[in-house]
Amino acid sequence: SCSYFKHFTPGESSEIFEVTTQKEYSISAAAIAIFSVGFAIIGTVCVLLSFGKKRDYLLKPASMFYTFSG
């Protein structure tokens, strides 16, 4: 959707400003948000599995998943 704003100044020609929504940015932001939530969920699963049976080696991947989600 486009919007046109006309700016009139006395004695000068009018300037037309076109404002468009950039769908590429909103789609990429949504994709990044979905990946971020996914990484946070995987990190949470790793943390929960590490507390269950004392698997401390899962804490490093969990921290990396949390870092990626940020």
Side-chain angles (χ1 to χ4, degrees):
S1 65
C2 299
S3 300
Y4 291 95
F5 297 98
K6 294 183 180 180
H7 176 68
F8 294 102
T9 54
E12 297 179 9
S13 63
S14 64
E15 298 176 8
I16 298 174
F17 298 102
E18 181 180 348
V19 178
T20 60
T21 57
Q22 297 177 352
K23 291 183 180 179
E24 295 85 14
Y25 289 142
S26 61
I27 290 173
S28 63
I32 290 171
I34 290 171
F35 283 123
S36 175
V37 169
F39 282 136
I41 290 172
I42 294 171
T44 303
V45 168
C46 287
V47 167
L48 292 176
L49 288 176
S50 71
F51 287 148
K53 295 185 179 180
K54 299 292 182 185
R55 298 177 182 157
D56 292 337
Y57 58 88
L58 287 176
L59 291 176
K60 285 185 182 180
S63 68
M64 292 305 296
F65 284 125
Y66 283 130
T67 303
F68 290 152
S69 70

